Amino acid sequence: MSNTPFIAIITGGSSGIGFATASALLARGNWRAYFLDRNPPSSDVLSSNSDAIHIQADVTEFASLASAFQKVFDAHSRLDFVFANAGIALHPDNLTPAGESSKDEYPATPDLTLLDVNLKGVIYTSHLARHYFHLSPAGSERNLMITASMAGFYASPSVPVYAASKHAVVGWTRSIAPGYWKEDRIRVNAICPSLVATGIMPEEMYATFPEGVLTPVNSVVKAVLLLHDGKAEQVGEGKIVAGQTVEVNGSELYFRKQIDFCNPIAAGIMGTVSVEA
């Protein structure tokens, strides 16, 4: 084993899926994980493991995120794994009609913070990942993982802005994967979990769901590592594990494909999403 550690950047890494993934990588040994988050992890992982490092960053502010990436690259001159994981689910959006409305007043301005975090943050993170992967030594691992959601496949009337953000993230993943691989040998994949008990919602809300509804965070980490390692048999022997959007529900993984084109004209306009070796 080389003494040079693999370097991981995980946004939203201080809790939930991001923290669990970082912990799994650190447990493998020879990894150094950077937790990019507004707040540090609440556990003692930072004091007990010198390879776990928190950098304060806001994914909605490009300068903040870019500065964090630059600090990591300055320290190691390489980057192996980036997990664009930061996200939120519940945030007032001002889209619900007011009890009383007037023809003389505009409705309240919609608050689209959800889009800023869940979509703009993913695009910023992807853009920076590509830049620093490109600067990394030839032959180094170049893996970009993105957290979407099952809400990226299905409509969700109760959280339309959240569903819109995750539909966009699925589309972003499928759209960039061919070019990122062809031009820079970066494998891009997305996990699309069902409901997971993380800090994305208050703890008391999870207690209201029937038994068996929640997906264990370990199932999501399993999907992340499977895609990272590039050994998913569901993709097919000899094929590149990239451009995959994997729904995680309970203990099961579902490799979701893009819907079929309505005709060859549509296919020609939109282009292929397949990633060729």
Side-chain angles (χ1 to χ4, degrees), residues 178-191:
Y180 274 44
W181 173 253
K182 181 179 180 181
E183 297 165 19
D184 288 304
R185 285 302 187 257
I186 300 167
R187 290 195 296 109
V188 183
N189 294 286
I191 53 163

Side-chain angles (χ1 to χ4, degrees), residues 181 187 230-242 244 275-277:
W181 173 253
R187 290 195 296 109
K231 298 177 181 178
E233 61 183 23
Q234 297 91 332
V235 175
E237 186 175 352
K239 292 187 177 181
I240 302 299
V241 180
Q244 299 299 318
V275 179
E276 305 297 335

Side-chain angles (χ1 to χ4, degrees), residues 80-104:
D80 299 282
F81 176 66
V82 173
F83 191 5
N85 168 72
I88 58 175
L90 300 177
H91 190 87
D93 53 31
N94 294 330
L95 290 172
T96 303
E100 296 182 4
S101 58
S102 168
K103 64 181 180 62
D104 299 320

Side-chain angles (χ1 to χ4, degrees), residues 31-46:
W31 275 92
R32 182 158 294 171
Y34 285 85
F35 301 69
L36 270 56
D37 206 307
R38 289 181 175 182
N39 303 302
S42 57
S43 78
D44 61 354
V45 64
L46 298 182

Side-chain angles (χ1 to χ4, degrees), residues 8-14 34-39 53-57 59 64-65 68-69 72 86:
I9 285 178
I10 300 173
T11 67
S14 291
Y34 285 85
F35 301 69
L36 270 56
D37 206 307
R38 289 181 175 182
N39 303 302
I53 301 143
H54 170 253
I55 299 179
Q56 187 176 41
V59 297
S64 171
L65 197 57
F69 268 78
V72 175

